[in-house]
Amino acid sequence: MKKTILAVVTSSLFAASANAAVVYDKDGQQVDVYGRIQYQAGQIYNDDNGDAENFGGDTLARFGFNGKWATGYNDIALISKLEREVSAENDDDEADSFVNRYAFAGADFGNGVQATVGTQDSAYVQLADVTDIYNEYSGLIENQFDSRWDDSAKVTYAADGWDLRGSVSFSDEAKANNNEEDKLQNQYAASAGYTFQIDEVSSLKPVLAYQAKTGEAAGESYTDEQYAAGLGYTYDAFYLASTYGQLKHDLADEKDTVWTVTATYKVQPDWTLVAGYGLIDGHNYAPETTKYYVLGTQYDITAKAKAYAEYKINEVAGEDDNYVVGLQYNF
């Protein structure tokens, strides 16, 4: 889920948060620090039986660092990022424990090309970003694999309207001597997007993306795949976007259709209305496993603080509806 509405999406892996503060800048070395504090409450999720959980709240804090060091060779610079998160309340007895979100290093070649290794977003995230632009109930189904990959290498190119990304992860759990039923081996992803600037207030961005993962389940090898197309249209204060694609389950020989739609409209400088739709539909083997609508609003208290409220209407039999209200401060 995204925490900004109509944020400018960039493929730059060193693109600092808009709220980042430069804490060191000397002799070609720069370090930025940024963070987030957030509280939200409601009947946010459902349990395994589809019943809405009791009213409750969650608090989290997040902090991160961006580093950049000029090499003195042409425009090449070394780059790095570290971001961690701690939840003060967690149902899995992990309260107050830090979770590593990003930890990668690499190089910016100064011509739109960057190469990094570590824990980072997969290339497929560019597709999910087309519709994953508001708060709690966006970005739920677009990416059916993990969004962030450990032990991954990634190359991106962002220039002249193009946004090209490729990534591979060598998290080969199948080599480990354990009793896990499903053992992930490798993951691959590629995406391509291009922004058409129609005029000063409108633009159009199509995105194509593909990802695959290999592994072993019950002693059998498999390759699961997902592919999709997305299209985002911006006109002044209005944004409309959709993604559509399929997910292939190799061993079960099954396919799912995955479809999302998002719309946002800034009715006033501080107020934004949001709406969303999501569907996962099994091809000839199961009824719809996910179908929902989302209505919500966001109020920008300041440039760095906001309040939001969202209501999720679940259209699958036996699933209760959900709602959330929250406050978020970024620095």
Side-chain angles (χ1 to χ4, degrees), residues 147-181:
S147 296
R148 283 183 295 274
W149 293 355
D150 296 329
D151 303 315
S152 68
K154 184 176 177 181
V155 177
T156 66
Y157 172 77
D160 302 322
W162 287 101
D163 189 342
L164 308 177
R165 313 182 192 184
S167 57
V168 58
S169 172
F170 299 102
S171 246
D172 196 344
E173 297 177 5
K175 294 180 179 178
N177 183 17
N178 55 44
N179 295 317
E180 293 182 11
E181 187 69 17

Side-chain angles (χ1 to χ4, degrees), residues 58-293:
D58 294 309
T59 303
L60 67 81
R62 185 181 299 173
F63 68 90
F65 301 90
N66 294 308
K68 189 172 185 177
W69 297 266
T71 64
Y73 180 74
N74 293 333
D75 295 324
I76 299 176
L78 302 179
I79 56 176
S80 63
K81 184 182 187 73
L82 172 65
E83 183 178 309
R84 308 199 76 186
E85 179 178 286
V86 60
S87 175
E89 303 176 56
N90 193 295
D91 294 334
D92 297 323
D93 297 325
E94 295 178 356
D96 302 322
S97 62
F98 283 96
V99 176
N100 188 46
R101 286 174 51 82
Y102 298 100
F104 62 79
D108 183 336
F109 295 93
N111 57 359
V113 176
Q114 292 186 346
T116 52
V117 293
T119 300
Q120 55 192 320
D121 285 338
S122 76
Y124 200 87
V125 167
Q126 179 179 192
L127 184 282
D129 283 345
V130 174
T131 48
D132 181 11
I133 61 170
Y134 50 100
N135 294 287
E136 182 62 30
Y137 298 128
S138 94
L140 300 179
I141 64 173
E142 290 90 333
N143 190 343
Q144 291 291 297
F145 296 178
D146 292 333
S147 296
R148 283 183 295 274
W149 293 355
D150 296 329
D151 303 315
S152 68
K154 184 176 177 181
V155 177
T156 66
Y157 172 77
D160 302 322
W162 287 101
D163 189 342
L164 308 177
R165 313 182 192 184
S167 57
V168 58
S169 172
F170 299 102
S171 246
D172 196 344
E173 297 177 5
K175 294 180 179 178
N177 183 17
N178 55 44
N179 295 317
E180 293 182 11
E181 187 69 17
D182 190 346
K183 302 174 182 178
L184 177 67
Q185 291 179 321
N186 303 313
Q187 299 180 93
Y188 313 89
S191 63
Y194 184 81
T195 300
F196 295 92
Q197 195 65 44
I198 301 172
D199 54 37
E200 293 182 355
V201 297
S202 60
S203 63
L204 188 69
K205 183 178 180 180
V207 176
L208 297 174
Y210 171 85
Q211 62 179 346
K213 63 180 179 180
T214 63
E216 293 180 6
E220 293 188 63
S221 298
Y222 67 85
T223 300
D224 288 349
E225 301 173 289
Q226 185 181 7
Y227 49 89
L231 185 65
Y233 173 69
T234 301
Y235 180 78
D236 199 15
F238 176 72
Y239 181 73
L240 177 64
S242 180
T243 66
Y244 185 88
Q246 290 191 344
L247 171 67
K248 175 185 175 184
H249 306 277
D250 189 12
L251 292 181
D253 194 23
E254 298 171 347
K255 290 183 179 180
D256 292 331
T257 292
V258 182
W259 182 27
T260 63
V261 181
T262 289
T264 70
Y265 181 65
K266 188 175 284 293
V267 294
Q268 293 183 359
D270 298 330
W271 283 98
T272 302
L273 300 179
V274 304
Y277 170 79
L279 171 72
I280 300 179
D281 188 12
H283 279 216
N284 302 320
Y285 76 91
E288 297 163 345
T289 57
T290 299
K291 185 178 182 181
Y292 61 84
Y293 300 89

